[in-house]
Amino acid sequence: MEHIRQRIPPHRLEKAVVTLGNFDGVHLGHQKIFELVIQKAREIGGESVVYTFEPHPMKVLYPGKRMPLITSYKERARLVEEMGIDVLVSAPFDLEFAKMEASDFVRDVLVGAIGARIVLVGYDYAFGKGRRGDTELLKKMGEEMGFEVVVVPPVMLNGSAVSSSRIRSVIEEEGDVALAARMMGREFSVTGKVVEGHRRGKALGFPTANLQVESELMPRPGVYAVKVGIVETGGTFGGMANLGTNPTFGNGTLSFEVHLFDFQGDLYGKELTVSFVDRLRDERKFPSPEALVEQLRKDEERSRAILSSRKD
């Protein structure tokens, strides 16, 4: 995949079939659009193109509004490439770019610079200054300038459209990582480095890796069944993770600890990718370390059963 990190590609693309959007999370709705883009490009012997923005326009237009990204820009690019897209354009977004009228963007960039033959967008997509560009404008300009417009309906799940905002809410507010996985077509995951912790886990019989993660989005605090990949070696282990303040020991600060099943070795300084499979319970304070250990044994038993039932 060719990855272009500028607003105007350095060369005109060949019979471009283009989709526009932010594509945070690369969820099932996005994947449906990408599949159609690839299909259309094959039909006309052209190139499949994803045109997106970096940083996310909301980060520039509303810097005070909290909107954690589901996937980093690097992860988004990797997922787009895995879908089989030919060209990814990550257009630098700033306040000056935000002033461009939607019609100017279509004429000068989409058609003039890229050479779009077919444009596919989601049913609710809006773009350009003041978000005045929509599917109706695209259709009107398509008729005038000779490109086809395909509006892709949403993917529905449990009676609601799959969307990035819904996924953020499900993960952060509800901790329902299993539902998030159904909307994304894969588990929500974060990557972090193992740093020094309190070392209580080993004494309790459940040694944990204390992770420092840079992800903007984390699940609601609690205990989760997880899959853990060791980035350097590629090995994957089942496990369970606790995101919280360890109230039994009165830490007070938020930490993210992961216990790997059937693992022996030193993880300090290594990078781990943790994929959240299911939520087990809320974090709570136990009357004693012994009571905590008893609960951890139950958590492990349940985690192993969940992971065994959901093997790829």
Side-chain angles (χ1 to χ4, degrees), residues 193-195 209 230 258 260 263 265-272:
K193 182 172 286 189
V194 180
V195 297
I230 304 173
V258 183
L260 282 67
F263 175 81
D266 183 11
L267 291 172
Y268 283 110
K270 290 185 168 57
E271 272 197 330
L272 305 182

Side-chain angles (χ1 to χ4, degrees), residues 198-208 240 246 248-249 257 259 286 288-297 300:
H198 293 284
R199 293 181 176 269
R200 293 196 193 99
K202 190 172 183 180
L204 295 172
F206 288 87
T208 59
M240 56 187 188
N246 293 296
T248 303
F249 299 101
E257 299 173 274
H259 171 66
F286 291 89
S288 66
E290 291 76 20
L292 172 59
V293 169
E294 183 179 349
Q295 179 61 54
L296 289 174
R297 290 186 182 127
E300 177 176 356

Side-chain angles (χ1 to χ4, degrees), residues 168-182:
R168 287 188 201 100
S169 175
V170 161
I171 291 172
E172 189 171 45
E173 298 174 21
E174 303 172 30
D176 193 345
V177 293
L179 176 56
R182 289 175 62 199

Side-chain angles (χ1 to χ4, degrees), residues 57-164:
M58 291 291 287
K59 303 277 189 183
V60 175
L61 297 173
Y62 306 99
K65 182 177 181 179
R66 186 173 179 278
M67 195 206 69
L69 295 177
I70 302 165
T71 49
S72 67
Y73 303 119
K74 181 180 178 181
E75 177 73 356
R76 179 181 63 182
R78 183 185 68 79
L79 292 167
V80 169
E81 183 172 21
E82 286 184 357
M83 288 292 299
I85 292 293
D86 295 319
V87 180
L88 170 63
V89 179
S90 295
F93 192 89
D94 56 22
L95 290 174
E96 189 62 33
F97 192 30
K99 294 176 184 176
M100 179 178 276
E101 293 288 351
S103 56
D104 292 338
F105 175 80
V106 174
R107 183 184 61 252
D108 299 338
V109 179
L110 201 55
V111 177
I114 296 175
R117 297 285 188 89
I118 305 174
V119 178
L120 294 92
V121 290
Y123 70 104
D124 60 349
Y125 186 63
F127 65 101
K129 184 179 179 180
R131 292 175 59 84
R132 289 195 281 266
D134 57 14
T135 56
E136 291 307 311
L137 175 72
L138 277 173
K139 289 177 181 177
K140 181 174 179 292
M141 294 194 71
E143 291 175 0
E144 295 171 355
M145 303 188 73
F147 62 88
E148 179 186 349
V149 176
V150 178
V151 178
V152 184
V155 170
M156 305 297 290
L157 185 64
N158 297 346
S160 299
V162 172
S163 69
S164 299

Side-chain angles (χ1 to χ4, degrees), residues 2 4 6 8-14 47 87 89 112-115:
E2 181 182 6
I4 299 169
Q6 55 194 70
I8 304 296
H11 53 86
R12 191 175 172 88
L13 303 177
E14 184 67 30
E47 293 180 276
V87 180
V89 179
I114 296 175

